[in-house]
Amino acid sequence: MKRADVKVWFACNNKCLFCVQWDKRFHHKQRTFEEIKKILEDEYISWCRGLVFTWWEPTIHKDLTESIKYAKKLWYSQIQIQSNWRTFANLEYVKELISAWVTEFWPSIHWFKSETHDTLVWAPWAWAEVVEWIKNLKKLNQIIIINSVITKKNYTEIPQLSLLLAKLWVSQFQFAFVHILWSADKNKDEIVPQKSLAMPYIKKGLDIWKKYWIICMTEAIPFCLMQWYEWAIAEYNYMPETTVVDAEYRTESYAEYRWNEWKSKREECKKCSKFKICEWPWKEYIEIYWWEEFRIIND
Ligand code: SF4
């Protein structure tokens, strides 16, 4: 199902060290309800039937609930909220969103130790609020899809976090390798790990999810580092076609945009058996660590 990723608001109540949209908060206003309604109508006409309300932080937009109700009226069948979830410790607000027609909740949690999470998002008590929220949503029997950004500060905690969330029985989990833009770029020395160092921890995390029969996936890690775990590559196995409505532009196909604009490519990869289906690493990653760890697959 094609879906629209709609940015409703360009401010946030966190200041994540790895934020890929950081400076937009200084340049763009929040969208008005009328503007959001128009976007929802246009995207429905362009055949989107799923909808994602996303960052910056959509839950601090005063018209989010009304926007969800409007999307329901237009017959969007799946409505997801992507959020840092700090607002969601408030159970009444969660119930309001559910009755407005949110079908999936996508929180970000950036690690097992509360100190690591709170340092990464630059907000004290943020981890405790997210965990509280997950428990609230479980009580309300909702679909919970967790996203965690892999950074240099947190990758060794992946197995512990996986176990914690598996025991909370979240519905799905994603490890997304940090995209080196804006804040992540400014903080790259302390934020960006070498993928090959993080892989043993990521694979251990995937093993835990598999054992608990929970859907799990990785983003922005090519096939050559994911051997025997290809089933978890999000871009290849799970990501639906998505239109992105950002502050300054609309992208009809996020997949094409990623392939053509954001991913690095090298001649040698043409010899690899995964060449036609691989998405390659982020361009900015190769500028830091080069290609040494990416080995041609021959089978
Ligand atoms: S095409 Fe390149 S980056 Fe992709 S799996 Fe093969 S060697 Fe790795």
Side-chain angles (χ1 to χ4, degrees), residues 222-224 266 269 272 274-275 278 280-281 291 294-297:
F223 281 86
C224 48
R266 67 172 169 170
C269 280
C272 178
K274 304 294 180 197
F275 176 66
C278 176
W280 312 288
W291 279 100
F294 302 96
R295 302 274 157 81
I296 302 298
I297 302 171

Side-chain angles (χ1 to χ4, degrees), residues 132-143:
E132 188 58 34
W133 167 83
I134 292 170
K135 288 180 188 162
N136 281 344
L137 274 189
K138 278 310 289 180
K139 279 185 217 149
L140 297 168
N141 213 15
Q142 294 300 301
I143 295 176

Side-chain angles (χ1 to χ4, degrees), residues 135-276:
K135 288 180 188 162
N136 281 344
L137 274 189
K138 278 310 289 180
K139 279 185 217 149
L140 297 168
N141 213 15
Q142 294 300 301
I143 295 176
I144 309 173
I145 302 173
I146 301 278
N147 182 54
S148 295
V149 176
I150 300 166
T151 70
K152 206 183 246 183
K153 289 186 184 292
N154 63 19
Y155 70 80
T156 57
E157 294 174 23
I158 290 174
Q160 292 156 292
L161 179 73
S162 300
L163 196 57
L164 170 79
L165 293 172
K167 285 184 174 167
L168 286 171
W169 286 109
V170 303
S171 323
Q172 191 177 307
F173 191 91
Q174 173 171 297
F175 302 117
F177 195 85
V178 59
H179 192 181
I180 310 153
L181 299 173
W182 296 105
S183 293
D185 183 38
K186 285 179 200 149
N187 300 312
K188 61 182 172 227
D189 290 346
E190 55 173 321
I191 287 294
V192 184
Q194 193 160 12
K195 285 184 181 172
S196 49
L197 295 181
M199 284 320 295
Y201 298 92
I202 294 168
K203 288 182 174 173
K204 232 182 224 174
L206 292 174
D207 288 340
I208 291 168
W209 293 101
K210 206 171 163 195
K211 188 171 148 205
Y212 281 77
W213 289 85
I214 295 172
I215 299 170
C216 53
M217 60 192 80
T218 58
E219 190 187 339
I221 304 178
F223 281 86
C224 48
L225 294 177
M226 289 288 289
Q227 283 189 294
W228 304 105
Y229 292 80
E230 294 87 348
W231 48 268
I233 298 175
E235 296 91 335
Y236 182 60
N237 296 295
Y238 298 101
M239 274 190 191
E241 182 60 293
T242 304
T243 295
V244 179
V245 186
D246 209 322
E248 330 74 344
Y249 61 87
R250 174 184 182 274
T251 305
E252 175 62 29
S253 165
Y254 180 55
E256 272 179 35
Y257 192 62
R258 278 197 317 269
W259 281 43
N260 297 330
E261 304 285 329
W262 282 348
K263 296 299 175 95
S264 199
K265 303 173 183 69
R266 67 172 169 170
E267 249 333 272
E268 209 187 330
C269 280
K270 287 187 181 159
K271 295 183 216 145
C272 178
S273 62
K274 304 294 180 197
F275 176 66
K276 289 200 173 137

